[in-house]
């Protein structure tokens, strides 16, 4: 797809009532913010849970969810280029689905971030206790909260730089694992003594789908959690220096890179280690680095592994994630219908395969929500999610008044011309 024409300088207002923004994020920042948000616990530790459920067919789960994620990102990208405003998908839901939808979407995304942040901040105390067992954990928790708060008081460009370099560390660990795994396979070194290494391990231990279709479906919620956070690229639209160029490039590049990292990691991992040997007692990454002869593997991976409550946290965060994705897709569908109904200018960054792929992705996300309630291990997430939505409904009725119940008026950055209909 050709790049959209260079737009006029972006205005500092996103529409009536929207704050002025500095627009200090470059394309490099935007890509790595999304990349860093979606690479972390879900891959470094959660992959073990997904592999236990599906075996080698977890690769299919990543491909399926990856396709849905791509459509979510393209839908978000089209809206972000058309309306580069702060609050992103919350504003889009309010504009195209109604104020209540925007209220629920914004607070559900905040809920998702809170769940993950609480887990990560608490885990930080656990991580530091690994190296400094005599130091009270509350000191580490307080320190990281103050550090994060300090970063958020700085210019958005500083935040972008911090995210860029921290993501480089994550990507480096993934590439080291993939490269090291390939070296081990070439040398014939196996983590499990007596077990051969190679692609045959993907089918030699009960077949490619050892736990059947049920195992593949059970892995989907954990895989969705792994991709959770990629939607933060939409929030950067209001801070992007040139959203008409940076957002499309980031949207097209980031999902492909993440999918490559995840699928590549799974193929190498299960070629080296029979999936039956991945017990979840340690990160699969620790197992690989241990096989590489790195004695400090546990310490190296200590900064990216969670605890026994991982599945519960992942499930709750998954509900919030898929709800936000659902609202993004439905907002986009409503926007596309309005464009066609009112004969408005075509989007510069239009989603592919409209409308079939958009509706198929919507159905897929609804299916994941059903799966959360179907399996006992993740059912608590659906219960928590329903309670959360009820509380939001009550909060909206009690506390949102006046202008808060109006649809926002978003600036449309698409050229104000009427295109001829074919």
């Amino acid at each position: 797809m050709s790049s959209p024409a260079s737009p006029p300088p972006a205005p500092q207002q996103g529409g009536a009532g929207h704050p002025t923004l500095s627009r200090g994020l470059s394309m490099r920042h935007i890509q790595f913010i999304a990349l860093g948000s979606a690479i972390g616990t879900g891959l470094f530790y959660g992959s073990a849970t997904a592999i236990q459920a599906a075996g080698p067919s977890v690769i299919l789960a990543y491909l399926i969810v990856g396709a849905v994620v791509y459509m979510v990102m393209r839908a978000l990208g089209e809206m972000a280029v058309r309306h580069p405003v702060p609050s992103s998908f919350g504003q889009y839901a309010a504009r195209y689905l109604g104020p209540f939808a925007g209220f629920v979407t914004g607070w559900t995304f905040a809920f998702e971030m809170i769940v993950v942040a609480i887990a990560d901040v608490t885990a930080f105390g656990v991580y530091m206790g690994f190296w400094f067992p005599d130091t009270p954990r509350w000191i580490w928790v307080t320190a990281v909260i103050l550090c994060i708060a300090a970063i958020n008081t700085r210019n958005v460009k500083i935040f972008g730089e911090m995210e860029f370099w921290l993501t480089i560390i994550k990507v480096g660990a993934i590439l080291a694992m993939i490269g090291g795994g390939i070296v081990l396979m070439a040398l014939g070194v196996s983590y499990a003594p007596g077990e051969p290494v190679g692609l045959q391990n993907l089918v030699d231990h009960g077949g490619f789908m050892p736990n059947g279709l049920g195992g593949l479906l059970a892995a989907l919620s954990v895989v969705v959690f792994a991709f959770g956070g990629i939607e933060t690229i939409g929030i950067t639209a209001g801070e992007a220096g040139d959203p008409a160029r940076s957002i499309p490039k980031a949207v097209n590049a980031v999902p492909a890179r993440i999918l490559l990292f995840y699928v590549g990691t799974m193929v190498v991992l299960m070629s080296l280690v029979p999936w039956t040997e991945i017990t979840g007692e340690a990160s699969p990454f620790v197992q690989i680095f241990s096989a590489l002869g790195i004695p400090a593997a546990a310490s190296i991976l200590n900064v990216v592994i969670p605890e026994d409550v991982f599945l519960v946290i992942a499930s709750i965060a998954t509900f919030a994630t898929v709800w936000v994705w659902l609202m993004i897709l439905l907002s986009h569908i409503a926007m596309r219908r309005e464009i066609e109904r009112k004969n408005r200018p075509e989007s510069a960054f239009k989603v592919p395969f409209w409308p079939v792929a958009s509706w198929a992705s919507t159905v897929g996300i609804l299916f994941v929500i059903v799966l959360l309630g179907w399996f006992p291990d993740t059912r608590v997430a659906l219960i928590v999610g329903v309670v959360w939505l009820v509380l939001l409904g009550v909060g909206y009725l009690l506390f949102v008044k006046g202008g808060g119940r109006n649809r926002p008026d978003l600036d449309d950055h698409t050229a104000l011309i009427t295109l001829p209909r074919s």
Side-chain angles (χ1 to χ4, degrees), residues 167-377:
T167 301
I168 287 291
I169 296 174
K170 294 182 185 180
V171 171
I174 294 171
L175 294 178
M177 181 273 174
I178 294 176
I182 292 174
V183 169
L184 288 176
M185 281 192 284
L187 296 176
V189 177
S190 174
Y191 170 80
E195 293 284 356
V197 297
L199 294 176
Q200 68 272 14
N201 276 333
L202 299 178
V203 294
D204 280 354
H205 302 274
F208 183 71
M209 196 178 292
N211 295 329
L213 181 61
L216 176 63
L217 297 178
L220 285 178
S221 62
V222 179
V223 172
V224 168
F225 170 77
F227 283 100
I230 194 172
E231 68 276 8
T232 56
I233 196 173
I235 297 177
T236 67
E239 303 279 5
D242 186 359
R245 287 186 177 275
S246 58
I247 296 298
K249 288 185 178 180
V251 165
N252 285 331
V254 172
R257 291 176 182 177
I258 291 176
L259 196 59
L260 175 64
F261 289 148
Y262 277 80
V263 173
T265 298
M266 292 301 102
V267 171
V268 171
L269 178 66
M270 289 183 289
S271 295
L272 263 180
V273 183
W275 74 271
T276 52
E277 299 290 331
I278 302 174
T279 63
E281 295 177 0
S283 164
F285 277 66
V286 171
Q287 293 181 267
I288 297 303
F289 281 117
S290 296
L292 283 168
I294 302 176
S299 295
I300 294 172
L301 272 297
N302 187 39
V303 296
V304 286
I305 299 173
E307 292 291 320
D308 295 335
V309 296
F310 169 76
L311 185 58
V312 173
I313 293 175
S315 300
I316 294 174
T318 296
F319 176 86
T321 296
V322 295
W323 182 269
V324 171
W325 291 357
L326 180 64
M327 292 297 101
I328 290 172
L329 286 172
L330 293 178
S331 299
H332 175 263
I333 290 171
M335 185 189 77
R336 293 296 315 171
R337 286 182 165 182
E338 183 176 300
I339 290 172
E340 295 170 1
R341 186 175 65 253
K342 296 186 178 181
N343 196 33
R344 290 186 170 169
E346 186 55 87
S347 299
F349 187 52
K350 185 179 177 181
V351 299
F353 311 117
W354 164 262
V356 176
S358 297
W359 280 111
S361 300
T362 301
V363 171
I365 289 175
L366 290 171
F367 184 62
V368 172
I369 294 177
V370 172
L371 288 179
L372 287 174
W374 182 266
F375 292 101
D377 289 342

